[in-house]
Amino acid sequence: MQEVWTESFAASVTESDFAGRVRLSALLGAMQNAADRHLEHAGVSVGRMLEEGMAWVLMTTRLEFSKIPRLGDPLSLETWNCGAAGVLWTRDYRILDASGEQLAQASTAWTLVDIAKRRILRPTAFPFPLPVSGRPSLAGPPEKVALPGEGAGWSEAQTYTVPYSAVDCYGHMNNARYADLCTDLLTPDELKTRDIRSFRITYSREAALGDGIALRRGADEEGRVLVSGESDGGRRTFEAVLELRPIDRTGNEESR
């Protein structure tokens, strides 16, 4: 198995926004696809996983930007398996520009699930060889997002109904699409004057076709945008935090 998987990526028109920035969901989708191809190279395709009645479920993502990739930029995406601790596997990513400068890095936590029984499996249940990379993790396993209940100035709920276009081969809303729910809650002024510095999200419950998700926006003491998603029954679906920074019109990255 190739320890560090590398592939090229360049955002298309449909994967970028009105300012020419790569959409957060497009980048998360590229990361997921790269991980799938890395496993396929090792002989562990999505099809084989389904035959075994297993699936990888993403639990938490931590993504940090030094610079936002832009439409058409030739990018290099690196990913590697950092190994398992308990029931969680860690997979890391780096996004580089054509000169080799790092634009972003991410750490993700996954768990192996028995599809039929809907239960988490320990790493020893994985029936295929899956070597751990010799490259260490960038920052260790990402911590779960835990949003405050009070004092965050939570907005009234907006209901999102999961459409056909958001559902993947596992029958639930794809993890990358949750980023669209979060960025859609940003105001036009925020989108025009700020870039995303970091994005963290924890998934608690899957959402299937036709399910409703109640979305609420809040803010913490540091001014970060908080997003909460709950099912129709009031159970937490996901929690996310977006940290924004002013756009530097000179082309250099601004500090907060």
Side-chain angles (χ1 to χ4, degrees):
M1 179 178 177
Q2 190 170 325
E3 282 197 9
V4 178
W5 182 259
T6 303
E7 61 183 48
S8 299
F9 170 68
S12 66
V13 171
T14 58
E15 294 170 320
S16 56
D17 69 8
F18 63 87
R21 299 168 297 202
V22 177
R23 293 185 188 277
L24 189 55
S25 58
L27 194 55
L28 294 178
M31 289 165 48
Q32 179 179 335
N33 291 336
D36 286 343
R37 282 189 280 268
H38 190 195
L39 291 171
E40 287 173 4
H41 183 262
V44 187
S45 65
V46 172
R48 289 192 68 183
M49 291 281 292
L50 292 174
E51 289 173 0
E52 293 289 334
M54 298 177 176
W56 293 108
V57 174
L58 181 60
M59 305 297 289
T60 298
T61 293
R62 179 182 61 229
L63 175 61
E64 300 168 328
F65 292 98
S66 56
K67 185 183 297 185
I68 301 294
R70 301 188 66 81
L71 168 66
D73 286 349
L75 304 174
S76 179
L77 177 58
E78 299 177 349
T79 182
W80 62 100
N81 171 29
C82 303
V87 297
L88 293 179
W89 302 70
T90 301
R91 173 172 284 274
D92 278 7
Y93 301 82
R94 294 176 72 219
I95 295 94
L96 313 174
D97 67 12
S99 68
E101 179 185 356
Q102 179 174 300
L103 305 182
Q105 68 178 47
S107 293
T108 56
W110 301 75
T111 190
L112 190 65
V113 171
D114 182 310
I115 297 175
K117 297 180 180 179
R118 315 303 293 176
R119 65 182 179 88
I120 294 174
L121 301 173
R122 297 194 65 80
T124 52
F126 194 64
F128 308 106
L130 191 61
V132 176
S133 174
R135 178 186 285 189
S137 176
L138 294 168
E143 294 185 359
K144 292 178 62 176
V145 176
L147 299 180
E150 302 292 336
W154 292 106
S155 66
E156 292 294 324
Q158 302 179 25
T159 300
Y160 171 85
T161 302
V162 179
Y164 164 81
S165 60
V167 177
D168 61 20
C169 65
Y170 294 111
H172 58 253
M173 184 168 166
N174 184 264
N175 68 80
R177 294 299 300 272
Y178 287 84
D180 288 328
L181 302 190
C182 296
T183 50
D184 282 347
L185 291 179
L186 299 178
T187 67
D189 182 66
E190 287 170 334
L191 292 167
K192 292 175 182 177
T193 64
R194 295 179 175 271
D195 281 335
I196 296 172
R197 176 189 288 271
S198 66
F199 176 67
R200 295 190 298 123
I201 183 168
T202 292
Y203 307 89
S204 302
R205 181 177 181 271
E206 65 187 27
L209 178 66
D211 284 354
I213 303 176
L215 302 173
R216 292 180 174 85
R217 170 180 166 157
D220 64 12
E221 294 179 350
E222 298 181 25
R224 293 175 294 196
V225 177
L226 312 178
V227 181
S228 168
E230 295 184 353
S231 69
D232 291 335
R235 296 177 60 188
R236 186 59 53 84
T237 301
F238 75 94
E239 297 172 280
V241 178
L242 296 94
E243 184 179 6
L244 308 179
R245 63 172 162 222
I247 294 175
D248 182 2
R249 303 299 180 183
T250 67
N252 298 315
E253 292 301 308
E254 283 192 5
S255 60
R256 275 181 57 196

